[in-house]
């Protein structure tokens, strides 16, 4: 079909798909963060929230599969585009300068792949409960207890904070860049779109990293 | 001033190239970068050596023939300046200056610093034009164009097709060039009849040539000697999505074919 070929088959179209799926995943990250921050409201509030999510049943699985589909599209197309980009310059410059490109923009693939590894570990850690004996010792209903048990290990917490730094870097470039890929560029909008990436990156990093850091410092037990 | 040049030397498109050190003595700070190379070449000829091949034509910054990646920056360190308009006062005596050709699979080196830019011609030929009938011209004021639109179109039309955007891009993408050509005609009423077909054909040709994709890092904007804004890339993206939905697939054997 012509439309499908024009969107998926072409770089400009594929980038739009990467942009839209990226913004959707950012939306998920923000929702996930707002739920997680309930950990500071105490065990009751947090476990009630977790139980509420689990009670959604079928809807939860639809959401999970939808998220998986979005993730696969985002990752798959981004990797294909990157391979095309690498092939476009077989001979590198002997002396290469960088004039405008930000650090975050130059390491999107690396931060993205680190996040992929993190997501697998994170799911194994708390969702499938196969990565840590400390977490598995806590009953599955006590999600609050699992968080405390998991983050009491400094190495685990360190990896989480590192992954969140990668996520923040990825979003700093990715969110603002998504608008340009979708053709949204206007003096009236740029004040918002160009700051949105850095702002969301800061919120996501401080918000998520605060949880393992608080557990390690004994602020929440 | 005295400079140590590190120049890419390559016999032809088939052979492997290498960096070669060439000393440039007593360079006048008032000379342009190309005039400096002219003097270096005179000396090389005097020594019975092959001169350095580089592209140049008008030397007024308007033709788009000159190129060169100088110390990693297309058209050198001066902002909004072509290599021919770059003066040696931008350099310091004793400096090492790296001179390389544009690097992209779709811009292969022909000799030394000269690359084959016909891929840009093919992108232009794919849709960067308006078709019009011949005959007596209509009245100049018959087609009203708002001043802001005329200005925007002109901002895009200043593109000289030099290729610095593709050379600067981390992904060797000529998106700023293609966007400037699409934008220029999309904004004006004269470009409307072929609006959808143009953007689809030009973007498709860019892909066929083997160029990379834009990752919104804006190296192109920093390198462009004509200071063309990445705003035009956003407009081209919009034009592309619009055309992808609106343009019907081409039919075979209809009409006057």
């Amino acid at each position: 079909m012509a439309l499908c070929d024009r969107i998926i088959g072409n770089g400009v179209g594929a980038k739009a798909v990467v942009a839209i799926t990226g913004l959707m995943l950012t939306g998920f990250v923000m929702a996930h963060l707002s739920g997680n921050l309930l950990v500071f409201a105490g065990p009751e509030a947090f476990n009630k929230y977790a139980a509420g999510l689990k009670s959604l049943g079928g809807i939860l699985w639809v959401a999970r599969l939808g998220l998986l589909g979005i993730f696969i599209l985002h990752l798959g197309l981004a990797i294909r585009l990157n391979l095309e980009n690498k092939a476009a310059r077989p001979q590198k410059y002997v002396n290469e300068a960088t004039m405008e490109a930000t650090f975050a923009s130059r390491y999107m693939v690396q931060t993205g792949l680190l996040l992929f590894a993190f997501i697998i570990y994170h799911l194994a850690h708390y969702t499938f409960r196969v990565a840590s004996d400390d977490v598995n010792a806590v009953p599955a209903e006590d999600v609050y207890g699992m968080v405390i048990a998991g983050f009491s290990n400094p190495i685990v917490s360190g990896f989480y904070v590192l992954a969140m730094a990668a996520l923040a870097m990825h979003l700093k470039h990715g969110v603002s860049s998504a608008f340009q890929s979708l053709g949204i560029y206007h003096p009236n909008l740029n004040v918002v779109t160009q700051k949105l990436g850095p702002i969301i990156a800061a919120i996501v990093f401080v918000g998520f990293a605060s949880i393992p850091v608080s557990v390690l410092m004994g602020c929440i037990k | 001033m005295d400079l140590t040049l590190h120049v890419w030397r390559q016999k032809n498109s088939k052979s492997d190239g290498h960096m070669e050190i060439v000393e440039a003595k007593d360079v006048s700070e008032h000379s342009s970068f190309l005039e400096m190379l002219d003097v270096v070449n005179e000396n090389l000829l005097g020594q019975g050596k092959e001169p350095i091949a580089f592209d140049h034509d008008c030397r007024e910054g308007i033709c788009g023939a000159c190129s060169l990646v100088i110390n990693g920056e297309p058209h050198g360190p001066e902002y909004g300046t072509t290599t021919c308009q770059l003066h040696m006062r931008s350099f310091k005596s004793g400096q090492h200056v790296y001179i390389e050709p544009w690097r992209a699979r779709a811009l292969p080196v022909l000799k030394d610093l000269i690359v084959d830019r016909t891929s840009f011609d093919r992108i232009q030929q794919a849709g960067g034009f308006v078709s019009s009938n011949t005959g007596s011209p209509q009245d100049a004021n018959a087609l009203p164009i708002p001043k802001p639109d005329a200005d925007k179109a002109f901002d895009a039309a200043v593109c000289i097709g030099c290729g610095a955007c593709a050379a600067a891009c981390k992904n060797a993408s000529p998106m700023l060039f293609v966007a400037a050509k699409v934008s220029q005609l999309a904004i004006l009423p004269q470009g409307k009849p072929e609006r959808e077909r143009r953007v689809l054909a030009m973007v498709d040709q860019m892909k066929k040539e083997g160029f990379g994709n834009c990752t919104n890092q804006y190296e192109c904007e920093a390198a462009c000697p004509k200071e063309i804004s990445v705003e035009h890339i956003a407009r081209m993206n919009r034009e592309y999505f619009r055309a992808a939905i609106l343009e019907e697939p081409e039919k075979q054997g209809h009409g006057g074919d």
Side-chain angles (χ1 to χ4, degrees):
Chain A
M1 191 185 146
L3 182 61
C4 196
D5 188 48
R6 283 168 188 168
I7 296 300
I8 300 290
N10 195 288
V12 175
K15 258 158 46 76
V17 178
V18 173
I20 291 171
T21 51
L23 290 177
M24 286 170 151
L25 291 168
T26 307
F28 164 74
V29 164
M30 296 301 276
H32 190 15
L33 173 63
S34 54
N36 282 14
L37 288 177
L38 280 172
V39 77
F40 291 106
E44 258 180 56
F46 193 64
N47 286 342
K48 199 176 150 198
Y49 157 71
L53 272 186
K54 272 186 188 160
S55 70
L56 290 174
I59 300 170
L60 184 65
W61 275 105
V62 171
R64 278 172 170 171
L65 287 176
L67 203 56
L68 183 69
I70 290 167
F71 184 77
I72 289 170
L73 261 181
H74 185 77
L75 185 74
L77 285 177
I79 287 174
R80 194 197 81 198
L81 288 166
N82 186 258
L83 291 176
E84 287 172 5
N85 295 347
K86 285 213 155 64
R89 177 166 293 142
Q91 172 98 43
K92 300 266 172 287
Y93 289 108
V94 173
N95 187 341
E96 186 180 327
T98 295
M99 295 166 279
E100 194 74 31
T102 58
F103 183 78
S105 75
R106 294 170 63 198
Y107 293 96
M108 288 300 277
V109 175
Q110 288 84 345
T111 51
L113 291 177
L114 181 67
L115 285 172
F116 183 48
F118 166 76
I119 290 165
I120 291 171
Y121 173 73
H122 181 50
L123 288 174
H125 194 206
Y126 286 130
T127 307
F128 301 117
R129 292 160 49 94
V130 290
S132 158
D133 292 335
D134 300 336
V135 171
N136 301 352
V138 181
E141 297 77 37
D142 185 12
V143 179
Y144 184 89
M146 279 163 59
V147 169
I148 305 293
F151 289 148
S152 296
N153 182 336
I155 296 166
V156 171
S157 284
F159 180 56
Y160 269 80
V161 173
L162 178 77
M164 289 309 104
L167 177 61
M169 255 178 72
H170 201 77
L171 295 184
K172 177 181 173 282
H173 175 72
V175 172
S176 291
S177 172
F179 290 99
Q180 170 79 355
S181 293
L182 293 171
I184 300 168
Y185 183 108
H186 193 278
N188 298 347
L189 293 172
N190 291 352
V191 283
V192 178
T193 56
Q194 286 170 7
K195 288 197 179 77
L196 205 57
I199 289 171
I200 288 181
I203 292 171
V204 162
F205 180 73
V206 173
F208 277 123
S210 71
I211 299 169
V213 170
S214 298
V215 171
L216 278 183
M217 284 168 54
C219 301
I220 48 175
K221 355 187 145 130
Chain B
M1 65 172 80
D2 298 333
L3 297 168
T4 303
L5 309 180
H6 298 251
V7 187
W8 183 262
R9 302 304 301 264
Q10 186 170 332
K11 198 160 181 261
N12 53 47
S13 57
K14 302 274 189 300
S15 60
D16 289 333
H18 64 278
M19 293 301 277
E20 190 175 285
I21 293 177
V22 181
E23 298 294 339
K25 302 278 180 207
D26 297 325
V27 176
S28 164
E29 63 176 24
H30 303 298
S31 67
S32 77
F33 200 85
L34 297 185
E35 285 163 349
M36 181 274 291
L37 286 178
D38 289 338
V39 174
V40 166
N41 277 346
E42 285 294 327
N43 290 336
L44 286 175
L45 281 167
Q47 296 164 19
K49 290 181 186 161
E50 179 121 358
I52 302 161
F54 61 90
D55 258 327
H56 61 102
D57 191 11
C58 77
R59 301 211 180 191
E60 291 181 322
I62 53 170
C63 76
C66 65
S67 55
L68 309 186
V69 173
I70 302 162
N71 284 341
E73 297 184 36
H75 291 299
E78 262 339 283
Y79 179 68
T81 306
T82 53
T83 296
C84 65
Q85 296 284 293
L86 175 68
H87 283 81
M88 294 315 293
R89 54 179 168 267
S90 301
F91 299 88
K92 288 192 189 80
S93 193
Q95 199 178 340
H96 287 249
V97 180
Y98 286 78
I99 311 172
E100 298 176 71
W102 289 170
R103 290 290 185 204
R105 187 174 58 167
L107 300 169
V109 174
L110 294 174
K111 185 177 172 63
D112 294 344
L113 302 168
I114 297 177
V115 298
D116 180 356
R117 280 180 279 197
T118 50
S119 52
F120 269 49
D121 296 342
R122 286 187 292 270
I123 292 172
Q124 184 77 8
Q125 284 157 7
F129 53 82
V130 291
S131 305
S132 64
N133 296 324
T134 54
S136 52
Q138 65 172 353
D139 183 79
N141 294 321
L143 202 58
I145 300 169
K147 181 73 164 67
D149 288 3
D151 288 345
K152 272 259 147 73
F154 186 75
D155 287 345
V158 293
C159 172
I160 52 177
C162 64
C165 47
C169 178
K170 300 288 181 199
N171 314 317
S173 170
M175 203 83 138
L176 195 60
F177 159 72
V178 184
K181 300 303 174 192
V182 166
S183 236
Q184 174 197 341
L185 299 174
I187 295 166
L188 298 175
Q190 289 91 337
K192 293 286 184 282
E194 288 147 317
R195 186 178 172 186
E196 292 83 18
R197 207 199 63 80
R198 173 182 306 114
V199 65
L200 290 176
M202 292 183 82
V203 168
D204 193 45
Q205 190 63 34
M206 171 170 72
K207 178 189 154 86
K208 280 187 192 142
E209 298 292 346
F211 283 111
N213 305 292
C214 174
T215 45
N216 307 331
Q217 296 175 296
Y218 308 152
E219 288 284 298
C220 53
E221 192 182 70
C224 179
K226 295 294 148 188
E227 302 173 39
I228 295 172
S229 164
V230 292
E231 171 188 357
H232 296 294
I233 295 182
R235 180 175 292 100
M236 186 186 73
N237 289 342
R238 289 199 297 276
E239 287 292 317
Y240 184 83
F241 305 140
R242 184 180 168 278
I245 293 165
L246 293 180
E247 180 76 352
E248 292 178 20
E250 261 181 61
K251 290 183 185 126
Q252 301 290 320
H254 282 256
D257 292 351

